[in-house]
Amino acid sequence: GAVVSQHPSRVICKSGTSVKIECRSLDFQATTMFWYRQFPKQSLMLMATSNEGSKATYEQGVEKDKFLINHASLTLSTLTVTSAHPEDSSFYICSARKRGGLYEQYFGPGTRLTVT
Amino acid sequence: AQKVTQAQTEISVVEKEDVTLDCVYETRDTTYYLFWYKQPPSGELVFLIRRNSFDEQNEISGRYSWNFQKSTSSFNFTITASQVVDSAVYFCALSGNNYGQNFVFGPGTRLSVLP
């Protein structure tokens, strides 16, 4: 199998606080992980691509100082939303690509962030 | 640049009707993969199918079928005898042939199957 988990599945935080979302590949090594954001009734938009052991590559318009991504191991990537604001409320989905895999991405179940 | 278009924003059908969801893509890659995902209200993406650019055979899986036509850059998805449980948002996605390349998702089609 190729299972990706995310934690937490839902989080509510107050404006100005930081929130960390974890993405784990449970039964495979993920050399590349992707983070997507999905606003209500919209499609998934890629935020950043992270390769294990190196800095993440952010898409245009995504603030790297606000959305900190760490891919410290072959099974874990974290996304930290710093100084969250209500407009950061969204559904965050990660995906992982296996070592040696070229096209497949395995998606996590998503994390719903609400900033009050 | 890669792009995926799903012209139908929302579709409503009555149970047992057949429904086709359209997907048109743009890419300059000669090798690429096309995908369909289902996203129910829970939010989790459910993988439905992957098709590579060299395989134009149509595929059928139960009530689902896919029609891939390179000549028109389309990868349409048909649900036969739709059921209420098919209600979801369906995304078509494209991945190029460069290692590490991400998916490009279409805007999605929201399907409502009414009892």
Side-chain angles (χ1 to χ4, degrees), chain B residues 76-96:
Chain B
N76 296 336
F77 171 34
T78 298
I79 302 174
T80 304
S82 59
Q83 300 176 1
V84 173
V85 293
D86 296 327
S87 297
V89 180
Y90 290 85
F91 291 100
C92 182
L94 168 69
S95 178

Side-chain angles (χ1 to χ4, degrees), chain B:
Chain B
Q2 297 186 318
K3 185 179 178 181
V4 176
T5 302
Q6 294 177 255
Q8 305 143 310
T9 306
E10 294 192 31
I11 301 176
S12 286
V13 298
V14 177
E15 207 171 16
K16 297 184 184 178
E17 286 185 3
D18 299 346
V19 58
T20 296
L21 310 182
D22 298 333
C23 173
V24 173
Y25 63 92
E26 295 177 28
T27 181
R28 292 182 181 175
D29 291 339
T30 53
T31 302
Y32 52 88
Y33 278 80
L34 295 162
F35 302 79
W36 275 95
Y37 286 87
K38 174 182 180 180
Q39 188 178 43
S42 65
E44 184 165 0
L45 288 175
V46 177
F47 169 81
L48 296 178
I49 191 172
R50 179 190 70 190
R51 174 68 59 185
N52 77 51
S53 52
F54 295 108
D55 183 1
E56 287 193 70
Q57 276 194 327
N58 292 331
E59 181 155 340
I60 299 174
S61 175
R63 296 184 297 108
Y64 295 168
S65 63
W66 290 269
N67 183 289
F68 176 30
Q69 293 195 348
K70 283 181 79 170
S71 60
T72 56
S73 297
S74 65
F75 186 43
N76 296 336
F77 171 34
T78 298
I79 302 174
T80 304
S82 59
Q83 300 176 1
V84 173
V85 293
D86 296 327
S87 297
V89 180
Y90 290 85
F91 291 100
C92 182
L94 168 69
S95 178
N97 65 340
N98 295 320
Y99 181 76
Q101 195 167 53
N102 61 286
F103 278 26
V104 173
F105 282 88
T109 297
R110 183 176 299 275
L111 174 65
S112 298
V113 181
L114 308 174

